[in-house]
Amino acid sequence: MDAANLQRLVDEIKTYFSRDSRFYYRGHIASGRFGVAHRVQYRQNENGFIYVTDFLVKTAHKNSEAEGDMENEKAYLKRLRGGAHIVQLIDVPDDPLTKYKFEEQWKFLILEWVPNGTLCEFIFKARNFGCSQLPNRLLWRFFLCLISGLCGLAWPRNRQGGRVEIETPMPWEQEGNVHNDLHTGNVLLGDFDDSREHGFTPVLKIIDFGKSFRVEEEDLLVANEANLWDVGHMTKLKQAGLLSRFNTAANRYGREPIQFFHAPVEGLFRSHGLTNS
């Protein structure tokens, strides 16, 4: 989408939300090949107290591929509702886009706001702050977040009413869902909370299910391996993974390569043939 069309879209969405004083359009935060992400604030008065929350509106570009991806993503996110490590569809009371039939013009999703950017951005910020090596305990927790997200993909929760739970393997047959676009730009960092799991590190949430698909039952192993391979890319488990990807960028800008694992973990992965060295 060129700058002129992007501005027209921004102006149009801003106009829709200006019809209701509870909403404030904060601006578009990202645009890509298939769509645009917008941040919106919602203010709710309950018994004299004003509660302010943000949410994200994702709009699809006006072409068959982008609109098809959004329909696919919406279907997946409905099935995956309730997984703590998967971004959540949310229902906003009387939101102007639904009320005034914005979908007749643009396909859109309304998602929870995840405040701390992508995993990709986090890695570069860490490097810019002089961090040459991330601690093992942080990396293991990130890794377990991603594995929990894969459990949510394999055993969809399909929860209603806003209930969210940590994803674990379930005692019934898994589904062969493949994310198909899982990389550091499609993992967001959320907030800390009071739980044991996310009191030390923020929750990671998997996003962007537009390219996801489901394999037949006899190909479940293929689905598992595809998803795990993508996680491996983000945790230096495969040669073409995160380390080499970001070291390529580091070399391009004349920076030192990032060593993501301390020696004990590096040795463990090397012993299983899972590193690129």
Side-chain angles (χ1 to χ4, degrees):
M1 178 178 287
D2 60 32
N5 284 324
L6 175 60
Q7 188 58 52
R8 279 194 289 270
L9 171 62
V10 167
D11 291 342
E12 189 172 355
I13 292 182
K14 186 184 298 185
T15 298
Y16 270 81
F17 282 110
S18 68
R19 298 178 182 182
D20 190 325
S21 62
R22 297 174 303 155
F23 296 92
Y24 174 69
Y25 180 80
R26 301 190 64 173
H28 94 275
I29 59 170
S31 58
R33 180 181 172 190
F34 297 106
V36 182
H38 313 260
R39 184 177 180 181
V40 181
Q41 187 176 86
Y42 174 56
R43 291 163 289 191
Q44 186 175 16
N45 188 328
E46 292 186 5
N47 300 320
F49 293 93
I50 303 297
Y51 296 90
V52 178
T53 57
D54 285 5
F55 60 89
L56 184 134
V57 175
K58 182 176 180 180
T59 55
H61 294 331
K62 289 186 176 181
N63 61 69
S64 58
E65 184 177 7
E67 291 178 345
D69 282 358
M70 179 154 288
E71 289 299 320
N72 189 53
E73 179 169 20
K74 181 183 292 187
Y76 263 94
L77 289 176
K78 286 181 178 179
R79 290 279 296 125
L80 299 172
R81 261 183 168 168
H85 296 92
I86 292 171
V87 71
Q88 299 294 294
L89 283 172
I90 61 171
D91 299 314
V92 179
D94 296 320
D95 76 271
L97 298 186
T98 302
K99 185 176 181 179
Y100 297 108
K101 300 180 179 180
F102 179 73
E103 194 165 20
E104 293 181 357
Q105 303 297 322
W106 298 85
K107 299 290 186 184
F108 71 93
L109 298 173
I110 296 181
L111 305 168
E112 65 175 320
W113 174 252
V114 186
N116 293 316
T118 68
L119 186 56
C120 175
E121 293 168 335
F122 168 78
I123 292 167
F124 274 116
K125 286 178 182 177
R127 182 63 182 88
N128 290 336
F129 275 101
C131 180
S132 62
Q133 189 174 55
L134 300 176
N136 287 345
R137 58 179 177 171
L138 174 63
L139 294 169
W140 278 117
R141 286 172 183 261
F142 278 178
F143 178 74
L144 291 175
C145 272
L146 294 170
I147 294 301
S148 293
L150 296 191
C151 287
L153 195 57
W155 292 277
R157 288 334 193 234
N158 196 19
R159 298 291 189 192
Q160 304 300 319
R163 179 182 173 186
V164 175
E165 63 185 45
I166 301 296
E167 308 92 328
T168 59
M170 304 303 288
W172 56 79
E173 189 68 31
Q174 72 178 79
E175 294 184 7
N177 295 312
V178 180
H179 184 282
N180 200 34
D181 194 24
L182 187 54
H183 52 76
T184 54
N186 279 339
V187 177
L188 297 179
L189 278 75
D191 269 331
F192 299 89
D193 59 34
D194 295 330
S195 70
R196 180 177 179 181
E197 182 169 355
H198 298 121
F200 173 74
T201 56
V203 62
L204 297 187
K205 287 181 174 279
I206 298 172
I207 65 170
D208 206 346
F209 292 85
K211 298 296 184 184
S212 299
F213 64 92
R214 183 174 178 177
V215 302
E216 298 297 328
E217 184 176 350
E218 59 269 21
D219 292 324
L220 286 177
L221 183 60
V222 174
N224 290 339
E225 289 181 345
N227 292 325
L228 287 170
W229 176 273
D230 287 339
V231 169
H233 274 242
M234 289 184 282
T235 50
K236 200 197 168 185
L237 300 184
K238 295 294 180 183
Q239 184 174 5
L242 178 149
L243 181 66
S244 60
R245 182 181 305 167
F246 282 92
N247 282 349
T248 298
N251 291 334
R252 184 181 303 127
Y253 294 103
R255 297 174 178 172
E256 292 296 320
I258 303 172
Q259 298 299 322
F260 282 91
F261 288 100
H262 291 159
V265 178
E266 186 77 36
L268 172 63
F269 290 151
R270 185 177 293 112
S271 69
H272 287 79
L274 298 175
T275 68
N276 58 3
S277 58

